Amino acid sequence: KPDSIVLDCFAGGGTTLMAAEILGRKWIGIDKSDAAISAIKSQFIGFECQYLELINGEFAAEVDESSCG
């Protein structure tokens, strides 16, 4: 359903998150790998989005940009 939430606990390259975005779903992606987080951000360049980064248990940044990445 549109506006439902997709949770991907092992987000990896962000393929599931990108599919959720394209299908109009809200999404939450989690991964502990810095390489995975970078790959996910690069997938979303050019998309409007808002996200929080959690680094070492602390919220490091809240980003609301016209392009993510």
Side-chain angles (χ1 to χ4, degrees), residues 21-65:
E21 181 73 20
I22 290 169
L23 294 171
R25 272 59 168 189
K26 296 177 180 167
W27 50 265
I28 299 169
I30 302 168
D31 208 295
K32 69 177 188 175
S33 165
D34 290 336
I37 300 302
S38 293
I40 292 165
K41 286 181 179 180
S42 70
Q43 288 257 23
F44 285 90
I45 290 174
F47 283 79
E48 287 190 29
C49 58
Q50 181 176 17
Y51 64 91
L52 293 173
E53 281 192 47
L54 182 66
I55 300 173
N56 295 326
E58 299 290 327
F59 285 110
E62 182 172 352
V63 180
D64 189 2
E65 300 178 340

Side-chain angles (χ1 to χ4, degrees), residues 1-11 14-30 44:
K1 292 182 180 181
D3 292 325
S4 60
I5 299 172
V6 173
L7 173 63
D8 187 354
C9 295
F10 304 97
T15 304
T16 299
L17 305 179
M18 180 58 72
E21 181 73 20
I22 290 169
L23 294 171
R25 272 59 168 189
K26 296 177 180 167
W27 50 265
I28 299 169
I30 302 168
F44 285 90

